[in-house]
Amino acid sequence: MLEDYTLISKATDDFAPVVVAHFSAQADDRYSLGNPHAYLDSNIISTLNVTDVAHGLKVEHLLMASTS
């Protein structure tokens, strides 16, 4: 879901979070060799979308951590 900007943006329309925590990541670097687009969507595009939506919501705190 997080790689779809429209869905994540709509999901936040009904509330105004003060804090956003983003722990999502596609683990296993070896998986990225065989599935580079899935890895990119999960790790890069999703993170970009979360930060963009958080910025638009003007959250007070954004916490991001990698699970990989």
Side-chain angles (χ1 to χ4, degrees):
M1 173 186 161
L2 296 178
E3 62 274 2
D4 186 330
Y5 181 82
T6 302
L7 285 178
I8 188 174
S9 183
K10 282 184 178 182
T12 59
D13 281 347
D14 295 333
F15 64 99
V18 178
V19 175
V20 171
H22 176 56
F23 297 101
S24 180
Q26 179 69 52
D28 189 2
D29 293 340
R30 289 170 289 160
Y31 177 79
S32 69
L33 296 174
N35 301 286
H37 293 281
Y39 197 80
L40 177 77
D41 286 344
S42 178
N43 291 349
I44 306 300
I45 302 301
S46 295
T47 299
L48 173 65
N49 289 341
V50 168
T51 57
D52 194 31
V53 169
H55 181 263
L57 293 169
K58 297 182 181 5
V59 298
E60 293 178 21
H61 299 283
L62 172 61
L63 172 67
M64 296 189 307
S66 175
T67 57
S68 181

